[in-house]
Amino acid sequence: NVCSVLCLSPQLSSGNPVYEKYYQQVDPSGSGQVAAADAALFLKRSGLADLVLGKIWDLADSERKGCLNKQQFFIALRLVACAQNGLEVALKSLNLAVSLPKFHDTSSPLLPGGVSVDGQWVVKMEEKLKFDAVFDSLSPVSGMLSGEKVKPVLLNSKLPVDVLGRVWELSDLDRDGMLDRDEFAVAMYLVYRALEGESVPMSLPAPLVPPSKRKKPPVSVPPVMPLLPSPPSIKESRSSLSGSKTLPNPYLYNHPVPSVSFQWAVSPPDKSKYDEVFAKTDLDMDGLVSGPEVRDIFLKTGLPSATLAHIWELCDIGDMGKLTREQFALALHLINQKLTTGVDPPQNLSPEMIPPSDRLSLATKQVTQEKSNVEQEMKEQVKSIRERTSEVQELQNQVQKESGDLQRLQSQRQEVQDTLEELDQQKTTLEEQLRHICQQCSHENQMILSLEAEHTEQEQKMEEYEEQLVQAREELLRLQEESQQLEEKVQAAREQFTPLQESVKDSFSQVSQVSL
């Protein structure tokens, strides 16, 4: 009983000054009621996960009114303290000794209850100067920065994308898709406060509106990813066994909780009949029936064992191995439907088949499963990011290596090009020399042809000279023979002439003597 718990815990009484201070921040008017949006925004400053805060809300909002009174808000504060100290988030933990809950600084203008001087801008001059330096470094055009230029700065903060989207929406006061110098300062201020653990507000607090923008109507900004839904947009509801509707847990706003407003497939008359069977079957009176307890009832239907096993699996929603009263009624409903109309049990329970008492737990299970899927997806994305980072680093190393190789090859290419130019010059010189030599060769060839012709002519003359020489030799031999013959004749004549000469001489001598 919540009331008995309140009485047992002195820290939950209205006399605790810390709890009273926190309550005044969420209910400054003293209305006695804390709206879901205000309570959720305040409790989120505890730093606890949304799933934990959702459980705290369920325990505190026991009447499902969608708001908290003062004592219920104290319960929420105490459960926050339990969660922060590692204790179980349950009503039984309220009686345990625990330190006071801790929340982020409440003096920030981003949070309810913040204190600021009217007319002053919370962005201090030294901060503004730093923000202006960053603004100027992004090369603004006509004193404005586009979203593309601001985006890398925001992403560099490593804040969630939905938070950064809300920062942009709050900062772009005139909705022109660009930020001027003062709007950029607001964005940077929100980013730095978020990095310090403060929540980004739903709408821009008055102290954060730049003085240059305060002449305009108050700015109320719908967030890109709201922390809480506005009451008119809430379509989900929870049902108790009696079918009464209640407001949703504000921490489950962005999870697709199936609607529970469907009328149950088991009609009230059938439910009454099935309850009578359940009362006879639940021998140990624990509110649950096990497989052995319902075995005979199921087998007497004559349905195949595989069909009965599938019906049991569908109805055992909590995988406990036992069925509650409503789950048992649903099982008999599916069996009766198969026997009377021949309709097979579905592969999965439709929303109207889910027992009313299981719809909230099934929604919570679905949310938990979705959270697990999201966490797994985030792990895979982180792994993918690491792999991509490794690939990028490897590619950067490869690019650096290839750049070095490129520079080396460019240097070698220049050397080869210089060598080619030098060889071209040598080639030109050699071609000129070759042309000159070819001209000389042509001249020499002509000379050779001329000499060959002259040689041929000389050979012909030599042949003629040789023939003439042979003839001359033959003639010489003949003449020599004749000369020899003549010499012999002359010698013979001389031999004959000498005596004659002597005789003539004697004759002349005689004549001379005679003449005398």
Side-chain angles (χ1 to χ4, degrees):
N1 189 299
V2 176
C3 294
S4 62
V5 171
L6 289 174
C7 296
L8 291 173
S9 180
Q11 281 193 333
L12 296 180
S13 67
S14 59
N16 188 292
V18 176
Y19 280 43
E20 289 287 344
K21 176 184 176 182
Y22 287 149
Y23 182 78
Q24 290 174 5
Q25 293 182 21
V26 294
D27 187 19
S29 62
S31 64
Q33 297 290 333
V34 181
D38 296 333
L41 184 60
F42 181 89
L43 296 178
K44 195 170 181 68
R45 288 160 41 201
S46 65
L48 298 176
D50 283 357
L51 192 62
V52 177
L53 292 175
K55 188 174 182 180
I56 291 174
W57 178 270
D58 285 336
L59 294 174
D61 185 18
S62 58
E63 299 175 359
R64 301 294 185 268
K65 293 182 178 180
C67 61
L68 303 179
N69 60 29
K70 191 172 186 178
Q71 291 297 325
Q72 290 172 332
F73 182 73
F74 287 173
I75 291 177
L77 294 179
R78 186 62 183 272
L79 291 173
V80 167
C82 293
Q84 289 177 339
N85 287 274
L87 301 177
E88 181 183 0
V89 179
L91 291 178
K92 62 182 180 180
S93 300
L94 295 174
N95 295 319
L96 302 177
V98 67
S99 59
L100 293 171
K102 298 179 179 62
F103 298 91
H104 298 307
D105 181 20
T106 58
S107 64
S108 171
L110 305 183
L111 303 174
V115 179
S116 62
V117 180
D118 292 339
Q120 286 189 347
W121 194 21
V122 297
V123 181
K124 304 300 181 184
M125 181 58 65
E126 56 270 21
E127 289 182 314
K128 184 63 164 58
L129 293 175
K130 291 190 295 184
F131 298 155
D132 287 348
V134 178
F135 181 89
D136 294 333
S137 68
L138 298 176
S139 302
V141 178
S142 300
M144 306 291 287
L145 287 177
S146 65
E148 291 299 321
K149 290 187 177 180
V150 178
K151 181 179 178 181
V153 178
L154 297 180
L155 292 178
N156 192 46
S157 67
K158 302 297 189 295
L159 290 173
V161 176
D162 57 332
V163 174
L164 295 177
R166 191 155 64 252
V167 167
W168 173 269
E169 291 291 334
L170 292 173
S171 305
D172 187 12
L173 297 171
D174 48 10
R175 295 294 181 273
D176 59 354
M178 305 181 76
L179 300 184
D180 61 17
R181 191 176 297 270
D182 288 346
E183 291 173 331
F184 182 79
V186 173
M188 291 293 97
Y189 185 93
L190 291 172
V191 167
Y192 277 92
R193 297 294 86 79
L195 291 174
E196 293 173 0
E198 297 183 11
S199 299
V200 178
M202 301 288 291
S203 60
L204 196 64
L208 246 181
V209 179
S212 61
K213 307 288 182 180
R214 292 182 184 180
K215 294 181 181 180
K216 298 181 180 180
V219 179
S220 178
V221 182
V224 176
M225 180 64 74
L227 293 174
L228 294 167
S230 58
S233 67
I234 300 175
K235 297 181 180 178
E236 299 85 5
S237 63
R238 300 188 187 121
S239 293
S240 62
L241 294 178
S242 61
S244 60
K245 295 184 179 180
T246 59
L247 292 176
N249 185 325
Y251 293 93
L252 300 179
Y253 70 97
N254 57 355
H255 297 286
V257 180
S259 174
V260 293
S261 61
F262 295 103
Q263 185 176 0
W264 194 22
V266 181
S267 64
D270 290 343
K271 175 67 164 53
S272 300
K273 293 188 297 182
Y274 299 151
D275 285 347
E276 293 177 3
V277 179
F278 181 86
K280 296 177 182 180
T281 308
D282 185 16
L283 302 178
D284 54 3
M285 305 295 291
D286 62 348
L288 299 169
V289 291
S290 62
E293 289 176 326
V294 303
R295 177 182 176 85
D296 292 338
I297 297 176
F298 277 26
L299 292 178
K300 287 179 181 179
T301 62
L303 294 178
S305 299
T307 303
L308 294 173
H310 179 57
I311 292 175
W312 176 274
E313 183 180 357
L314 288 174
C315 298
D316 186 11
I317 295 175
D319 295 330
M320 298 185 299
K322 295 184 178 182
L323 301 181
T324 64
R325 183 183 300 273
E326 292 182 349
Q327 292 170 351
F328 179 76
L330 176 63
L332 293 185
H333 169 74
L334 295 175
I335 291 174
N336 185 57
Q337 191 178 41
K338 174 63 176 175
L339 292 173
T340 57
T341 63
V343 177
D344 292 327
Q347 293 298 319
N348 297 292
L349 293 179
S350 59
E352 64 271 7
M353 289 183 178
I354 299 173
S357 60
D358 289 318
R359 292 178 182 179
L360 180 59
S361 61
L362 192 62
T364 304
K365 181 179 179 182
Q366 182 178 352
V367 169
T368 304
Q369 181 63 35
E370 181 187 352
K371 179 184 176 184
S372 176
N373 294 338
V374 171
E375 289 177 348
Q376 181 63 30
E377 183 179 355
M378 289 179 63
K379 290 180 181 179
E380 292 176 356
Q381 289 178 349
V382 169
K383 181 180 178 182
S384 178
I385 289 173
R386 290 177 179 172
E387 292 177 352
R388 296 290 175 83
T389 303
S390 177
E391 292 176 0
V392 169
Q393 184 63 40
E394 184 178 352
L395 288 174
Q396 287 177 344
N397 295 336
Q398 187 174 356
V399 167
Q400 186 176 2
K401 178 183 177 183
E402 294 296 334
S403 297
D405 293 342
L406 177 60
Q407 292 178 356
R408 179 176 55 81
L409 291 174
Q410 288 177 342
S411 177
Q412 292 180 354
R413 185 191 66 180
Q414 187 62 39
E415 293 178 358
V416 172
Q417 187 172 355
D418 294 340
T419 303
L420 285 175
E421 291 178 356
E422 183 179 354
L423 291 174
D424 286 340
Q425 294 178 355
Q426 294 180 359
K427 176 185 174 183
T428 302
T429 303
L430 291 175
E431 286 178 346
E432 292 178 356
Q433 294 178 355
L434 178 61
R435 187 163 48 251
H436 180 66
I437 292 173
C438 288
Q439 292 176 354
Q440 291 182 343
C441 289
S442 176
H443 179 69
E444 293 297 330
N445 283 331
Q446 293 177 358
M447 293 293 294
I448 289 172
L449 292 175
S450 176
L451 291 173
E452 285 180 349
E454 184 178 355
H455 176 67
T456 302
E457 183 181 355
Q458 293 293 333
E459 284 183 344
Q460 293 176 353
K461 289 181 178 180
M462 286 177 63
E463 289 178 356
E464 294 177 359
Y465 290 157
E466 285 179 354
E467 291 179 358
Q468 294 176 1
L469 179 59
V470 170
Q471 294 176 359
R473 286 177 177 172
E474 291 178 354
E475 181 68 23
L476 176 60
L477 289 176
R478 185 180 62 79
L479 292 173
Q480 286 177 349
E481 289 178 356
E482 289 181 357
S483 175
Q484 184 66 31
Q485 292 175 1
L486 290 173
E487 284 181 357
E488 290 177 356
K489 289 180 177 181
V490 167
Q491 186 65 32
R494 283 177 180 173
E495 291 177 356
Q496 294 176 4
F497 179 70
T498 300
L500 291 176
Q501 186 176 16
E502 289 295 331
S503 177
V504 169
K505 186 175 178 179
D506 288 342
S507 294
F508 275 109
S509 179
Q510 292 176 5
V511 167
S512 175
Q513 287 176 3
V514 169
S515 300
L516 290 174

